[in-house]
Amino acid sequence: MVYDENDAYSRANDPIYDKNLNSSIAVGGVLEMILNTQIPSGFSTGLFNGTETPQRTKFLNVNLVNNTATNNGDELVGGANGNAFTLDCTVFLTNFKSWNKITFEGTGLSNIGLVLKDENNTTIRSITNGEDLTSYIIDKTRLKIVVSFTGACTITNIILGVNTKKYDNNNLINLPTQQIIGLEDWKTGVEEDLETVSIGTSNIQNGSVTNDKIASNAVTTAKISDSNVTTSKLADNAVTTPKITDNNITTSKINDKSVTTSKINDNAVTNTQLANNSVNSSNIIDGSIVNADINDNALIALSKIATDNLTLVGSGSWVDNPTHPMGDFTVKQYMFNNLNVMLTVVTFRGREPTQLDFKESYSNVLPIAPKTVLACWGENKRGTVDSGLVDTNCSWSVYKGSKNVTFIYYQGSLRILSWDFFMLSIQ
């Protein structure tokens, strides 16, 4: 089958087809039809043209350009070396609507890629061989089909299909334009009128601009009234971190009791983040307070030690100076039940007012020597109304493995010295 000058396809602006006006192609004005042409068999020579000049076939002209494949006339052979060619097609069908399907026949067809471009070489889309193009509505009368080879392939036949459109008037009379007197004047008048038509807001009915009438990415920020994007317009999980200005999540934006442990960075809660008196016994892990956590001047009172957990294991008494005693000492040592921790309590009660500043050591006065001293502290036992308290300080020291003790006294005014001394040790 080769190109026939009398083929019943009315070609736009082609007077040679005037004689075919009464042919069966007029049905295309009444019904939507699918028209196909095949190349190279549809060319006048029945072969692919290698001179890159357009060839006429039925309702379109085809030009084979930029060909690096092997042209054997009735077939195009491509290899895996990046061969390619382009079919530059121009549709002349008067009632052309859109492209329908582009199908390649031959062998190794999985090794071709197809890209559609317009007359300006702008890519329209990539397609697959034989894909239905109807839904894309590609209405370009000039279409470039770029074919690339990724492997061995032989193309023996190319079928180019288009859809026709039917006219609004079913009583169709298809006349050449030169048979209508005054047509050009009428067209000129309509074109001038269209140039002056202005569609304003009053010409558009309320609620008539639908989503399909708005182009993608057409609504800009300036077109949205302030404070008009409400919560219901935001998709779930749509507000991401980059959309939130730094330092803009305030306390009022955080739901009560909604900040969980996993949301707080390790070591991020420091002493300044804790309210005064906010850490109680339930917040402290049992057994986690060690000696380093107790202040050297903590002055832990005996009342803080559970006496029902203590067993008396040693006691004794002595005076500081048998000749002229300043006061009397008593010592009691307790073991914590089920623990190897010992509490030593030394009580000093003065006999008369004194004013002193000295260090005094006593030998072999503890019934049981400590193996490891954990803490030593003292507590003033005089009444709080005694103003001399501010002038008094006493401390003591004990070495591990020793029964000896040393006291350091300071009393700036004449008062009766009265102190309790404590020691925790590991036995």
Side-chain angles (χ1 to χ4, degrees):
M1 179 183 69
V2 296
Y3 175 76
D4 182 4
E5 288 285 353
N6 295 317
D7 206 330
Y9 287 87
S10 179
R11 293 169 64 98
N13 301 318
D14 194 343
I16 194 171
Y17 282 91
D18 292 350
K19 59 188 176 185
N20 296 316
L21 288 178
N22 294 323
S23 65
S24 60
I25 194 60
V27 178
V30 179
L31 302 174
E32 290 187 1
M33 301 173 62
I34 299 173
L35 304 180
N36 293 310
T37 186
Q38 300 184 28
I39 58 173
S41 60
F43 294 145
S44 58
T45 62
L47 300 174
F48 285 112
N49 192 327
T51 59
E52 298 197 0
T53 57
Q55 296 193 72
R56 176 179 292 186
T57 172
K58 290 187 177 178
F59 51 82
L60 54 79
N61 290 356
V62 180
N63 190 6
L64 177 65
V65 297
N66 301 325
N67 178 33
T68 60
T70 301
N71 183 356
N72 293 327
D74 57 351
E75 63 182 17
L76 297 172
V77 181
N81 58 349
N83 293 144
F85 66 86
T86 297
L87 289 178
D88 191 352
C89 307
T90 303
V91 179
F92 287 93
L93 189 65
T94 54
N95 56 339
F96 166 70
K97 180 179 180 182
S98 62
W99 285 84
N100 175 268
K101 190 177 295 186
I102 299 171
T103 304
F104 288 73
E105 295 179 346
T107 60
L109 296 175
S110 61
N111 292 326
I112 62 172
L114 302 175
V115 177
L116 304 183
K117 296 186 177 183
D118 63 14
E119 64 272 18
N120 298 316
N121 288 318
T122 300
T123 297
I124 299 174
R125 68 184 308 106
S126 297
I127 64 170
T128 58
N129 184 27
E131 181 179 357
D132 186 356
L133 308 179
T134 304
S135 60
Y136 302 143
I137 312 179
I138 303 174
D139 57 359
K140 303 291 185 182
T141 55
R142 184 178 178 188
L143 187 70
K144 296 183 179 181
I145 307 169
V146 181
V147 183
S148 58
F149 294 85
T150 59
C153 174
T154 298
I155 298 173
T156 58
N157 193 34
I158 304 175
I159 303 173
L160 304 174
V162 298
N163 296 321
T164 67
K165 60 184 176 182
K166 65 178 182 179
Y167 300 109
D168 294 336
N169 185 0
N170 290 332
N171 298 317
L172 175 65
I173 299 176
N174 191 356
L175 296 177
T177 57
Q178 64 267 31
Q179 297 295 321
I180 304 176
I181 299 175
L183 178 61
E184 291 301 322
D185 294 337
W186 178 82
K187 288 173 57 180
T188 302
V190 171
E191 291 171 355
E192 292 176 352
D193 290 341
L194 289 175
E195 290 177 355
T196 60
V197 170
S198 177
I199 299 177
T201 303
S202 60
N203 303 115
I204 303 175
Q205 292 184 353
N206 293 341
S208 63
V209 178
T210 61
N211 186 64
D212 293 337
K213 300 298 187 291
I214 302 174
S216 299
N217 303 315
V219 179
T220 60
T221 301
K223 304 302 183 185
I224 303 173
S225 183
D226 292 346
S227 306
N228 268 265
V229 177
T230 59
T231 299
S232 62
K233 298 298 186 287
L234 296 175
D236 292 342
N237 302 315
V239 179
T240 57
T241 299
K243 304 302 182 186
I244 303 173
T245 305
D246 293 345
N247 303 315
N248 267 264
I249 298 181
T250 60
T251 299
S252 61
K253 300 296 187 292
I254 302 174
N255 197 27
D256 292 344
K257 301 180 180 180
S258 63
V259 178
T260 60
T261 301
S262 62
K263 302 303 182 184
I264 302 174
N265 197 17
D266 293 344
N267 304 315
V269 178
T270 61
N271 186 62
T272 56
Q273 269 73 56
L274 297 175
N276 293 340
N277 301 314
S278 62
V279 179
N280 55 35
S281 178
S282 62
N283 302 119
I284 302 172
I285 299 174
D286 292 344
S288 64
I289 296 181
V290 297
N291 183 61
D293 297 320
I294 302 174
N295 194 295
D296 293 339
N297 299 316
L299 300 178
I300 299 175
L302 185 60
S303 61
K304 301 299 183 184
I305 301 174
T307 57
D308 59 351
N309 193 36
L310 300 177
T311 299
L312 183 65
V313 293
S315 62
S317 62
W318 78 97
V319 295
D320 65 328
N321 187 338
T323 303
H324 185 69
M326 183 177 68
D328 301 301
F329 289 89
T330 59
V331 57
K332 292 185 178 181
Q333 293 181 299
Y334 305 87
M335 287 297 295
F336 286 84
N337 297 337
N338 302 320
L339 293 174
N340 63 339
V341 177
M342 183 174 67
L343 171 65
T344 300
V345 182
V346 176
T347 301
F348 175 77
R349 296 294 180 265
R351 294 188 179 185
E352 58 185 28
T354 57
Q355 183 176 353
L356 46 82
D357 181 9
F358 65 91
K359 180 169 70 174
E360 197 168 29
S361 298
Y362 300 91
S363 301
N364 203 32
V365 297
L366 298 179
I368 301 173
K371 290 185 178 180
T372 301
V373 177
L374 294 178
C376 288
W377 70 95
E379 181 180 358
N380 196 331
K381 300 304 293 184
R382 292 187 300 175
T384 56
V385 297
D386 189 343
S387 62
L389 283 172
V390 298
D391 299 325
T392 302
N393 185 32
C394 289
S395 62
W396 72 315
S397 61
V398 182
Y399 293 95
K400 69 176 182 178
S402 173
K403 295 183 178 182
N404 303 333
V405 298
T406 299
F407 297 93
I408 300 175
Y409 307 97
Y410 172 78
Q411 186 156 282
S413 58
L414 196 63
R415 294 288 189 276
I416 294 176
L417 200 63
S418 181
W419 280 76
D420 289 343
F421 300 92
F422 306 92
M423 176 180 65
L424 283 177
S425 60
I426 298 176
Q427 296 304 112

Short mmCIF file of all heavy atoms in Angstrom, two decimals, residues 3 11 37 39-64 71 73 87-90 92 160:
data_model
loop_
_atom_site.label_atom_id
_atom_site.label_comp_id
_atom_site.label_asym_id
_atom_site.label_seq_id
_atom_site.Cartn_x
_atom_site.Cartn_y
_atom_site.Cartn_z
N TYR A 3 1.03 5.69 -0.96
CA TYR A 3 0.23 6.91 -0.91
C TYR A 3 -0.58 7.08 -2.19
O TYR A 3 -0.08 6.90 -3.29
CB TYR A 3 1.15 8.11 -0.69
CG TYR A 3 0.42 9.42 -0.76
CD1 TYR A 3 -0.38 9.83 0.31
CD2 TYR A 3 0.50 10.22 -1.89
CE1 TYR A 3 -1.05 11.02 0.25
CE2 TYR A 3 -0.17 11.42 -1.95
CZ TYR A 3 -0.95 11.82 -0.88
OH TYR A 3 -1.62 12.99 -0.94
N ARG A 11 -7.50 16.88 3.50
CA ARG A 11 -6.32 17.51 4.12
C ARG A 11 -6.52 19.02 4.16
O ARG A 11 -6.89 19.63 3.17
CB ARG A 11 -5.06 17.16 3.34
CG ARG A 11 -4.69 15.69 3.41
CD ARG A 11 -3.61 15.33 2.42
NE ARG A 11 -2.34 15.99 2.70
CZ ARG A 11 -1.32 15.42 3.35
NH1 ARG A 11 -1.44 14.18 3.79
NH2 ARG A 11 -0.20 16.07 3.56
N THR A 37 -2.30 5.43 9.87
CA THR A 37 -1.50 5.31 8.66
C THR A 37 -0.25 4.55 9.01
O THR A 37 0.25 4.61 10.14
CB THR A 37 -1.13 6.69 8.08
OG1 THR A 37 -0.48 6.51 6.83
CG2 THR A 37 -0.22 7.47 9.01
N ILE A 39 3.79 3.45 8.04
CA ILE A 39 4.99 3.77 7.27
C ILE A 39 6.00 2.65 7.53
O ILE A 39 5.97 2.04 8.60
CB ILE A 39 5.55 5.16 7.64
CG1 ILE A 39 5.89 5.23 9.15
CG2 ILE A 39 4.60 6.26 7.29
CD1 ILE A 39 6.60 6.49 9.55
N PRO A 40 6.83 2.33 6.54
CA PRO A 40 7.07 3.07 5.27
C PRO A 40 6.10 2.70 4.16
O PRO A 40 6.13 3.32 3.08
CB PRO A 40 8.49 2.66 4.91
CG PRO A 40 8.59 1.26 5.41
CD PRO A 40 7.82 1.24 6.69
N SER A 41 5.23 1.69 4.37
CA SER A 41 4.39 1.23 3.27
C SER A 41 3.44 2.30 2.77
O SER A 41 2.99 2.26 1.63
CB SER A 41 3.60 -0.01 3.70
OG SER A 41 2.77 0.28 4.82
N GLY A 42 3.12 3.28 3.61
CA GLY A 42 2.18 4.32 3.21
C GLY A 42 2.81 5.41 2.36
O GLY A 42 2.10 6.28 1.86
N PHE A 43 4.15 5.42 2.23
CA PHE A 43 4.81 6.43 1.39
C PHE A 43 4.65 6.07 -0.09
O PHE A 43 4.40 4.91 -0.45
CB PHE A 43 6.30 6.53 1.74
CG PHE A 43 6.58 7.06 3.12
CD1 PHE A 43 7.65 6.59 3.86
CD2 PHE A 43 5.77 8.05 3.68
CE1 PHE A 43 7.91 7.08 5.12
CE2 PHE A 43 6.04 8.54 4.93
CZ PHE A 43 7.10 8.06 5.66
N SER A 44 4.83 7.05 -0.95
CA SER A 44 4.70 6.82 -2.40
C SER A 44 5.72 5.81 -2.89
O SER A 44 5.47 5.06 -3.84
CB SER A 44 4.84 8.14 -3.17
OG SER A 44 6.09 8.73 -2.88
N THR A 45 6.89 5.77 -2.23
CA THR A 45 7.94 4.82 -2.62
C THR A 45 7.83 3.51 -1.85
O THR A 45 8.46 2.53 -2.23
CB THR A 45 9.32 5.43 -2.35
OG1 THR A 45 9.43 5.68 -0.95
CG2 THR A 45 9.49 6.72 -3.13
N GLY A 46 7.06 3.50 -0.78
CA GLY A 46 6.97 2.32 0.07
C GLY A 46 8.21 2.09 0.91
O GLY A 46 8.35 1.05 1.54
N LEU A 47 9.10 3.07 0.98
CA LEU A 47 10.36 2.94 1.71
C LEU A 47 10.58 4.16 2.60
O LEU A 47 10.06 5.24 2.34
CB LEU A 47 11.54 2.81 0.73
CG LEU A 47 11.51 1.62 -0.22
CD1 LEU A 47 12.66 1.74 -1.23
CD2 LEU A 47 11.57 0.30 0.54
N PHE A 48 11.39 3.97 3.66
CA PHE A 48 11.80 5.10 4.48
C PHE A 48 12.69 6.02 3.65
O PHE A 48 13.61 5.55 2.96
CB PHE A 48 12.59 4.64 5.72
CG PHE A 48 11.74 4.02 6.78
CD1 PHE A 48 11.83 2.66 7.08
CD2 PHE A 48 10.86 4.79 7.54
CE1 PHE A 48 11.07 2.09 8.07
CE2 PHE A 48 10.08 4.23 8.53
CZ PHE A 48 10.17 2.88 8.80
N ASN A 49 12.43 7.31 3.70
CA ASN A 49 13.23 8.28 2.96
C ASN A 49 14.51 8.57 3.73
O ASN A 49 14.48 8.85 4.93
CB ASN A 49 12.41 9.56 2.76
CG ASN A 49 13.06 10.49 1.76
OD1 ASN A 49 14.27 10.56 1.66
ND2 ASN A 49 12.23 11.21 1.01
N GLY A 50 15.62 8.51 3.06
CA GLY A 50 16.89 8.76 3.73
C GLY A 50 17.43 10.15 3.48
O GLY A 50 18.55 10.46 3.87
N THR A 51 16.72 11.01 2.76
CA THR A 51 17.22 12.33 2.40
C THR A 51 16.72 13.42 3.33
O THR A 51 16.92 14.60 3.08
CB THR A 51 16.81 12.67 0.96
OG1 THR A 51 15.37 12.63 0.88
CG2 THR A 51 17.39 11.66 -0.01
N GLU A 52 15.99 13.06 4.42
CA GLU A 52 15.46 13.99 5.39
C GLU A 52 14.57 15.05 4.73
O GLU A 52 14.67 16.25 4.99
CB GLU A 52 16.58 14.66 6.21
CG GLU A 52 17.37 13.66 7.03
CD GLU A 52 18.20 14.30 8.12
OE1 GLU A 52 18.13 15.54 8.25
OE2 GLU A 52 18.88 13.58 8.86
N THR A 53 13.69 14.60 3.85
CA THR A 53 12.66 15.47 3.26
C THR A 53 11.31 14.87 3.59
O THR A 53 11.15 13.65 3.64
CB THR A 53 12.84 15.58 1.74
OG1 THR A 53 12.78 14.26 1.18
CG2 THR A 53 14.15 16.25 1.39
N PRO A 54 10.29 15.72 3.84
CA PRO A 54 8.97 15.20 4.21
C PRO A 54 8.37 14.34 3.13
O PRO A 54 8.52 14.60 1.94
CB PRO A 54 8.14 16.48 4.43
CG PRO A 54 9.14 17.56 4.65
CD PRO A 54 10.32 17.20 3.83
N GLN A 55 7.70 13.26 3.54
CA GLN A 55 6.95 12.41 2.63
C GLN A 55 5.49 12.42 3.02
O GLN A 55 5.16 12.40 4.20
CB GLN A 55 7.49 10.97 2.66
CG GLN A 55 8.92 10.85 2.16
CD GLN A 55 9.29 9.41 1.90
OE1 GLN A 55 8.82 8.81 0.94
NE2 GLN A 55 10.13 8.86 2.77
N ARG A 56 4.62 12.44 2.02
CA ARG A 56 3.19 12.53 2.26
C ARG A 56 2.61 11.13 2.41
O ARG A 56 2.93 10.23 1.64
CB ARG A 56 2.51 13.26 1.10
CG ARG A 56 1.00 13.32 1.20
CD ARG A 56 0.41 14.08 0.04
NE ARG A 56 0.76 15.51 0.09
CZ ARG A 56 0.28 16.41 -0.75
NH1 ARG A 56 -0.54 16.04 -1.72
NH2 ARG A 56 0.61 17.68 -0.64
N THR A 57 1.76 10.98 3.42
CA THR A 57 1.04 9.72 3.61
C THR A 57 -0.33 10.03 4.22
O THR A 57 -0.41 10.55 5.34
CB THR A 57 1.81 8.74 4.49
OG1 THR A 57 0.98 7.62 4.78
CG2 THR A 57 2.25 9.37 5.78
N LYS A 58 -1.36 9.74 3.50
CA LYS A 58 -2.75 9.95 3.95
C LYS A 58 -2.92 11.33 4.57
O LYS A 58 -2.81 12.35 3.88
CB LYS A 58 -3.18 8.85 4.90
CG LYS A 58 -3.34 7.49 4.22
CD LYS A 58 -3.92 6.45 5.16
CE LYS A 58 -4.14 5.13 4.44
NZ LYS A 58 -4.66 4.10 5.35
N PHE A 59 -3.16 11.40 5.90
CA PHE A 59 -3.54 12.65 6.54
C PHE A 59 -2.35 13.39 7.16
O PHE A 59 -2.54 14.37 7.87
CB PHE A 59 -4.60 12.40 7.64
CG PHE A 59 -4.21 11.32 8.60
CD1 PHE A 59 -3.36 11.58 9.67
CD2 PHE A 59 -4.70 10.04 8.45
CE1 PHE A 59 -3.01 10.60 10.56
CE2 PHE A 59 -4.35 9.03 9.35
CZ PHE A 59 -3.50 9.30 10.41
N LEU A 60 -1.11 12.92 6.95
CA LEU A 60 0.03 13.62 7.56
C LEU A 60 1.27 13.48 6.68
O LEU A 60 1.35 12.61 5.83
CB LEU A 60 0.31 13.11 8.98
CG LEU A 60 0.52 11.60 9.23
CD1 LEU A 60 1.91 11.18 8.85
CD2 LEU A 60 0.26 11.31 10.71
N ASN A 61 2.22 14.40 6.92
CA ASN A 61 3.54 14.34 6.30
C ASN A 61 4.54 13.89 7.35
O ASN A 61 4.47 14.31 8.52
CB ASN A 61 3.95 15.70 5.75
CG ASN A 61 3.13 16.10 4.55
OD1 ASN A 61 2.29 15.33 4.08
ND2 ASN A 61 3.35 17.31 4.04
N VAL A 62 5.50 13.05 6.97
CA VAL A 62 6.49 12.50 7.89
C VAL A 62 7.88 12.78 7.36
O VAL A 62 8.15 12.57 6.17
CB VAL A 62 6.29 10.99 8.09
CG1 VAL A 62 7.35 10.45 9.05
CG2 VAL A 62 4.90 10.69 8.61
N ASN A 63 8.77 13.24 8.24
CA ASN A 63 10.16 13.52 7.88
C ASN A 63 11.06 12.75 8.83
O ASN A 63 10.96 12.91 10.05
CB ASN A 63 10.43 15.02 7.96
CG ASN A 63 11.79 15.38 7.37
OD1 ASN A 63 12.47 14.54 6.80
ND2 ASN A 63 12.16 16.64 7.50
N LEU A 64 11.94 11.89 8.30
CA LEU A 64 12.89 11.14 9.10
C LEU A 64 14.17 11.96 9.23
O LEU A 64 14.86 12.20 8.25
CB LEU A 64 13.19 9.78 8.44
CG LEU A 64 14.23 8.90 9.13
CD1 LEU A 64 13.73 8.46 10.50
CD2 LEU A 64 14.53 7.67 8.25
N ASN A 71 19.34 2.56 7.94
CA ASN A 71 18.11 2.65 7.17
C ASN A 71 18.22 1.72 5.96
O ASN A 71 18.97 1.99 5.01
CB ASN A 71 17.87 4.09 6.72
CG ASN A 71 16.56 4.25 5.98
OD1 ASN A 71 15.84 3.28 5.73
ND2 ASN A 71 16.25 5.49 5.61
N GLY A 73 15.68 0.99 4.09
CA GLY A 73 14.55 1.31 3.22
C GLY A 73 13.25 0.83 3.82
O GLY A 73 12.38 1.63 4.16
N LEU A 87 11.05 11.12 14.12
CA LEU A 87 10.01 11.26 13.11
C LEU A 87 9.32 12.60 13.34
O LEU A 87 8.68 12.81 14.36
CB LEU A 87 8.99 10.12 13.24
CG LEU A 87 9.45 8.72 12.84
CD1 LEU A 87 8.32 7.72 13.08
CD2 LEU A 87 9.87 8.68 11.38
N ASP A 88 9.52 13.54 12.40
CA ASP A 88 8.90 14.86 12.47
C ASP A 88 7.59 14.79 11.69
O ASP A 88 7.59 14.75 10.46
CB ASP A 88 9.85 15.91 11.90
CG ASP A 88 9.37 17.32 12.19
OD1 ASP A 88 8.24 17.49 12.69
OD2 ASP A 88 10.14 18.26 11.91
N CYS A 89 6.45 14.75 12.42
CA CYS A 89 5.15 14.51 11.80
C CYS A 89 4.28 15.77 11.85
O CYS A 89 4.21 16.44 12.89
CB CYS A 89 4.41 13.38 12.53
SG CYS A 89 5.37 11.86 12.69
N THR A 90 3.62 16.07 10.73
CA THR A 90 2.68 17.19 10.67
C THR A 90 1.34 16.68 10.16
O THR A 90 1.25 16.12 9.07
CB THR A 90 3.20 18.30 9.74
OG1 THR A 90 4.48 18.73 10.19
CG2 THR A 90 2.23 19.49 9.76
N PHE A 92 -2.36 17.05 8.66
CA PHE A 92 -3.11 17.95 7.80
C PHE A 92 -4.59 17.59 7.75
O PHE A 92 -5.32 18.10 6.91
CB PHE A 92 -2.53 17.93 6.37
CG PHE A 92 -1.21 18.63 6.27
CD1 PHE A 92 -0.03 17.93 6.41
CD2 PHE A 92 -1.15 20.00 6.06
CE1 PHE A 92 1.20 18.57 6.32
CE2 PHE A 92 0.07 20.65 5.97
CZ PHE A 92 1.25 19.94 6.10
N LEU A 160 0.86 5.16 12.95
CA LEU A 160 0.57 6.44 13.56
C LEU A 160 -0.94 6.63 13.55
O LEU A 160 -1.56 6.66 12.48
CB LEU A 160 1.28 7.57 12.82
CG LEU A 160 2.80 7.43 12.70
CD1 LEU A 160 3.37 8.52 11.81
CD2 LEU A 160 3.46 7.45 14.07
#
